[in-house]
Amino acid sequence: MNELVTFVQSFARTNSEHCETKTRSQLFRMVQVWFMDSEDSDQRLEHKRNPPIYLDLATLYKKTGVEYFRINADDHENDELLKELRSKRGYTYEDQITCSEQCLPDYLNKLKAFYTEHLHTDEEIRLVLDGSGYFDVRDGEDNWLRIEVVKGDMIIIPAGIYHRFTLDSKNYIKARRYFIGEPVWAPHNRPADNMDCRKAYLQHLVELGKA
């Protein structure tokens, strides 16, 4: 597990160096992560607590295992950091999805499924090429943490974590999806605490807490 932490820290340094070659607007893009409120109003709203409580990326990783990288979305196929990630982590399959009422078949039902709390047996890797949205993840105390993603943001959501996705009020996102081997699409809605991937994830959180 220490090797995994070292690997992630190494990628964080690489990502920082990688950002130095980008434009000023890209360089100063700061991903936002915050604790969600408990309101059940429109899921596309920000749902920040009052007052807001934000997390930095290091804290997000330690509390959830979620990883973040900044990628050149306009030339992602030639992005050196993405090439390194794909090689070292074995991403061999990829596709693209556009979520909007005009582009996504069965739009309303798909959005409902995306926002139902669930987990996967594999990592969920998403690179935003255009648009924006929110990934919500549970921390170890069962709080919802909301991660805002926009163009150029890449997040890796670990297997076994309870999470969900929603569009924001712009109602549009386009993203690349990466997989190790053939994609496994099936979500496992909560409760799924007896699944092996869930048990492994909880053990992973314990190890992160010791790092």
Side-chain angles (χ1 to χ4, degrees):
M1 189 59 63
N2 289 336
E3 293 179 356
L4 173 61
V5 173
T6 301
F7 174 75
V8 171
Q9 291 172 340
S10 174
F11 265 122
R13 289 193 297 271
T14 302
N15 197 25
S16 177
E17 295 167 359
H18 180 69
C19 285
E20 294 177 3
T21 66
K22 296 181 179 293
T23 66
R24 283 185 69 85
S25 62
Q26 289 174 312
L27 179 62
F28 288 101
R29 149 68 185 165
M30 295 295 292
V31 64
Q32 288 198 22
V33 184
W34 58 84
F35 282 90
M36 293 186 68
D37 63 25
S38 58
E39 298 295 325
D40 60 0
S41 55
D42 189 342
Q43 67 194 46
R44 300 170 303 159
L45 302 179
E46 289 183 333
H47 285 284
K48 294 178 181 178
R49 292 184 181 180
N50 187 18
I53 304 174
Y54 296 95
L55 290 81
D56 59 31
L57 291 175
T59 304
L60 173 67
Y61 176 69
K62 192 161 187 175
K63 288 178 69 67
T64 66
V66 172
E67 301 168 64
Y68 171 87
F69 302 94
R70 187 70 180 158
I71 302 296
N72 182 356
D74 291 325
D75 191 24
H76 60 277
E77 292 188 358
N78 294 311
D79 187 283
E80 292 299 324
L81 178 57
L82 181 54
K83 286 181 180 179
E84 188 173 0
L85 280 165
R86 291 175 64 184
S87 174
K88 290 193 173 182
R89 302 183 75 140
Y91 301 150
T92 57
Y93 180 95
E94 62 184 275
D95 66 7
Q96 188 165 301
I97 184 171
T98 300
C99 291
S100 71
E101 190 167 6
Q102 294 74 28
C103 299
L104 186 66
D106 199 19
Y107 173 75
L108 292 178
N109 284 329
K110 287 284 180 61
L111 289 188
K112 182 178 179 180
F114 293 160
Y115 200 63
T116 300
E117 185 174 1
H118 63 277
L119 57 75
H120 298 289
T121 56
D122 291 331
E123 291 179 338
E124 183 169 334
I125 308 104
R126 300 291 183 268
L127 166 61
V128 181
L129 300 180
D130 197 14
S132 52
Y134 301 123
F135 283 94
D136 302 336
V137 297
R138 292 280 194 186
D139 69 8
E141 289 77 45
D142 224 28
N143 298 298
W144 277 120
L145 307 179
R146 173 153 282 191
I147 307 165
E148 179 190 42
V149 291
V150 301
K151 181 179 178 179
D153 290 341
M154 180 175 182
I155 68 169
I156 302 176
I157 297 175
I161 187 175
Y162 287 124
H163 67 284
R164 61 192 183 189
F165 170 79
T166 184
L167 294 172
D168 60 18
S169 58
K170 300 180 183 70
N171 296 312
Y172 171 74
I173 195 169
K174 179 167 68 174
R176 298 293 293 178
R177 305 186 290 191
Y178 298 89
F179 303 89
I180 300 172
E182 289 298 313
V184 178
W185 303 105
H188 300 274
N189 292 344
R190 190 171 187 175
D193 296 332
N194 291 327
M195 295 187 66
D196 289 342
C197 66
R198 178 64 181 171
K199 295 175 183 178
Y201 170 73
L202 293 176
Q203 181 59 39
H204 178 49
L205 281 189
V206 172
E207 296 299 330
L208 287 177
K210 296 176 181 178

